[in-house]
């Protein structure tokens, strides 16, 4: 049974930083990613990492500001977010699965965390 638990969200002013953490249990290998969903909008991919190769994918809007990384034990996933903007306000979710082809597509993932809220003012 795969369980994903996110933390690290909060409220910050524009230009500030947050670091999100996702801790996985019951998960061995595959792809892990961060997604976000704002009210009234579709869930969109932020960044993903193929845990076996450490190959990363980052959405265009996140390039240069957000960095995805793994913990040493590969069961932790981080998202360092710098220079946050009001349009980054959303619920941020961690996802994991094996056999993922496009790590930034939500439909590729079966396992999801409950989300952590990020609010930028």
């Amino acid at each position: 049974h795969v369980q994903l638990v996110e933390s690290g969200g909060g409220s910050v002013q524009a230009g500030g930083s947050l670091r999100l953490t996702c801790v996985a249990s019951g998960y061995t290998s595959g792809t892990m990613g961060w997604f976000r969903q704002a009210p009234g909008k579709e869930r969109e991919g932020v960044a993903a990492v193929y845990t076996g190769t450490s190959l990363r994918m980052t959405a265009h809007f996140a390039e240069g500001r957000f960095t995805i990384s793994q913990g040493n034990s590969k069961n932790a996933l981080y998202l360092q977010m710098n220079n946050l903007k009001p349009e980054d306000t959303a619920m941020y979710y961690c996802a994991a699965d094996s056999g993922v082809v496009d790590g930034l597509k939500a439909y590729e993932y079966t396992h999801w965390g409950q989300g952590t809220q990020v609010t930028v003012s």
Side-chain angles (χ1 to χ4, degrees), residues 3 5 10 21 30 32 75 93:
Q3 186 174 15
V5 180
T21 298
M32 296 186 74
N75 71 335
Y93 298 91

Side-chain angles (χ1 to χ4, degrees), residues 1-6 22-27 32 75 94 96 111-114:
H1 176 66
V2 176
Q3 186 174 15
L4 305 172
V5 180
E6 304 98 332
C22 172
V23 177
S25 59
Y27 172 75
M32 296 186 74
N75 71 335
C94 176
H111 309 292
W112 292 87
Q114 81 289 350

Side-chain angles (χ1 to χ4, degrees), residues 5 8 10 18 22 26 34 54 58 62-63 77-78 92 94 100 105 112:
V5 180
L18 284 173
C22 172
W34 286 102
S54 296
T58 304
E63 290 177 349
L77 186 71
Y78 306 103
Y92 283 71
C94 176
V100 171
K105 298 297 185 183
W112 292 87

Side-chain angles (χ1 to χ4, degrees), residues 36-111:
R36 69 183 188 183
Q37 188 167 18
K41 295 188 176 181
E42 292 187 357
R43 191 168 296 191
E44 63 179 349
V46 178
V49 59
Y50 296 88
T51 57
T53 64
S54 296
L55 178 67
R56 304 177 188 181
M57 301 176 65
T58 304
H60 179 70
F61 64 82
E63 290 177 349
R65 299 191 300 129
F66 296 0
T67 302
I68 190 171
S69 62
Q70 303 176 81
N72 290 334
S73 62
K74 307 294 185 184
N75 71 335
L77 186 71
Y78 306 103
L79 185 68
Q80 178 65 43
M81 304 188 295
N82 299 326
N83 190 23
L84 284 161
K85 304 175 181 180
E87 51 264 42
D88 294 319
T89 295
M91 185 72 79
Y92 283 71
Y93 298 91
C94 176
D97 216 322
S98 58
V100 171
V101 176
D102 186 339
L104 296 181
K105 298 297 185 183
Y107 62 74
E108 295 266 15
Y109 294 87
T110 303
H111 309 292

